[in-house]
Amino acid sequence: MTMCRKALAVILSLLSAHVACGQERPEAPHEDGGRPAALAHALMDAQDRLTTGDAAAKARVVELSEELARKFRAFDVNVWRRPWNVQAVVAYTLSGGQPRVLRSIVQAGVIPAESASLAEGALAYAEGRQDKAKALLGPIDAGQTSAAVAGLLSLAQAALIAKEDPKAAAVLLDKAGVYAPGSLVEEAALRRSVLLAYETLDFNRFVTTSSRYFRRFGKSFYAEEFRRRFGESIGRFGLSEEPEQKRRLSQLLLEIEGPYRVELYLSMAQYALYLGRLDTARSAAEKALAAQSAAAASRASLYVGAAKILSGDVERGMDDLSRSDDAALPNKDRVLKSAVVRIAGQLVSDPPISDAELQAKAQAGSNAEATPLDRRAELALAQTDDLLRRSIK
């Protein structure tokens, strides 16, 4: 099935859910249900501004969450006998609102039977009681809930089954984005989908979902953290020897704005260096050498130099290292540079190996004792493995 057909299948399934049995999603009547619904929407609207990179919205979200907690708790308890009001407070809770608000409503015993599983499941999810949350929320069709709840519920359902059934979780994340396009819900769904694709080594989903994220939410308040995680992920996929994967990854990187692309090349180089894939580390770092940022250029020179030194090209590697400015390097990279310099010193201080020694080793075969070169290489690799574990993680 092509990507277009898959997308069409998801959309059709959602549409069919909306019109099943001739029912529409329950929405809040104007006479009284609009009050809790309007409050929940106010919080979600503030959160949606985070997708544009509005840093001030973060503080507003915190303030609004506290304000809404007070207003929800001030309502007459009979307000919560109406399903549409229950869905509003569920949306508030799944949006990161204070669980104690919903807990007090559940404990009041006024929630109608048809809303009980949704309310109690949302409360269990917010309080970290995953088994109960899964039992209560799992069977609910998000398409039959309100527009405010549907995407949030799909996100929660996906999180609850991600480890045991990643494929089903991926479908739920796709639905969450369709239920709430352009919102923080879709942004979060894409971020989680990329991480899920990485964990399950689903390369196609990783590329297509990452591309969608960068095109739609590249300026999100959460984009910087996403790029960091993405950089670690692409470092892993970037080690593939498959030409088609390399081509698609290269194309994906070209879709990303220049400064961010440089950061991804550096993350990829760092990860490859950690795994001992020195050619890949050098290639990725060289793509970042022309960076405008002094810090990025210094990191690139460091990684290129480290890859050369650990490959045995000590002289040229030290030349690259000399172009990395310690003052512009993060602390972990300064530790890495110091360790690589020590390794380089050990590699050049041992006695040189003559051609006769190399020939004797070749003739002796696998039972011969290790040459000084072997011993130096083993020492370098052991030290490099240790320093990279400490400096990269």
Side-chain angles (χ1 to χ4, degrees), residues 149-168:
V149 170
L152 291 164
L153 176 57
S154 294
L155 276 181
Q157 290 172 327
L160 290 169
I161 64 169
K163 289 185 178 180
E164 65 188 53
D165 194 346
K167 289 185 177 179

Side-chain angles (χ1 to χ4, degrees), residues 27-324:
E27 300 295 347
H30 294 293
E31 59 270 17
D32 68 345
R35 293 179 296 163
L39 292 175
H41 280 296
L43 176 61
M44 296 171 73
D45 287 344
Q47 291 177 326
D48 290 346
R49 287 198 290 275
L50 292 171
T51 66
T52 66
D54 184 353
K58 186 66 174 178
R60 175 57 180 156
V61 166
V62 175
E63 294 174 359
L64 197 56
S65 179
E66 294 175 352
E67 178 185 339
L68 265 59
R70 292 192 297 270
K71 290 184 175 180
F72 277 131
R73 298 188 75 176
F75 280 124
D76 183 279
V77 71
N78 290 311
V79 166
W80 309 114
R81 296 185 185 279
R82 302 177 178 89
W84 49 86
N85 288 337
V86 174
Q87 296 215 20
V89 76
V90 164
Y92 162 79
T93 305
L94 294 179
S95 294
Q98 299 176 13
R100 60 189 176 89
V101 176
L102 181 55
R103 188 187 314 118
S104 65
I105 296 170
V106 169
Q107 291 174 344
V110 294
I111 293 176
E114 63 267 31
S115 303
S117 291
L118 177 63
E120 293 175 17
L123 178 60
Y125 180 79
E127 293 181 337
R129 292 179 283 123
Q130 294 196 352
D131 288 343
K132 185 170 184 178
K134 189 187 303 182
L136 292 171
L137 296 182
I140 299 176
D141 179 2
Q144 297 302 310
T145 64
S146 68
V149 170
L152 291 164
L153 176 57
S154 294
L155 276 181
Q157 290 172 327
L160 290 169
I161 64 169
K163 289 185 178 180
E164 65 188 53
D165 194 346
K167 289 185 177 179
V171 172
L172 287 167
L173 290 173
D174 289 342
K175 288 184 176 183
V178 175
Y179 284 135
S183 70
L184 187 63
V185 169
E186 184 191 10
E187 193 266 2
L190 287 174
R191 279 190 283 119
R192 296 180 189 182
S193 189
V194 171
L195 179 60
L196 190 63
Y198 168 71
E199 292 175 344
T200 58
L201 297 180
D202 187 339
F203 178 77
N204 288 331
R205 170 172 281 271
F206 176 80
V207 171
T208 55
T209 310
S210 297
S211 180
R212 284 180 60 201
Y213 184 88
F214 285 119
R215 281 186 282 107
R216 293 178 60 79
F217 300 107
K219 299 186 184 299
S220 169
F221 180 82
Y222 300 101
E224 183 176 353
E225 172 63 15
F226 173 80
R227 283 189 292 269
R228 186 188 69 79
R229 299 291 297 271
F230 175 81
E232 296 171 357
S233 302
I234 203 171
R236 181 177 181 181
F237 281 121
L239 301 179
S240 170
E241 298 298 331
E242 296 184 21
E244 179 60 16
Q245 284 199 14
K246 287 186 175 181
R247 184 194 67 78
R248 292 185 65 188
L249 284 176
S250 296
Q251 183 60 42
L252 175 59
L253 287 171
L254 289 176
E255 296 177 10
I256 301 168
E257 295 181 26
Y260 301 138
R261 189 187 316 140
V262 167
E263 285 299 317
L264 293 174
Y265 278 131
L266 291 173
S267 294
M268 183 174 175
Q270 189 183 63
Y271 190 84
L273 193 63
Y274 168 64
L275 293 182
R277 300 292 292 271
L278 302 181
D279 288 342
T280 301
R282 177 176 172 179
S283 176
E286 285 175 343
K287 290 181 173 67
L289 282 173
Q292 298 296 317
S293 161
S298 289
R299 289 182 64 198
S301 296
L302 168 61
Y303 299 152
V304 170
K308 288 180 180 178
I309 289 169
L310 297 175
S311 299
D313 191 353
V314 177
E315 184 176 349
R316 290 201 300 167
M318 288 300 295
D319 186 52
D320 285 299
L321 253 62
S322 70
R323 287 193 286 273
S324 64

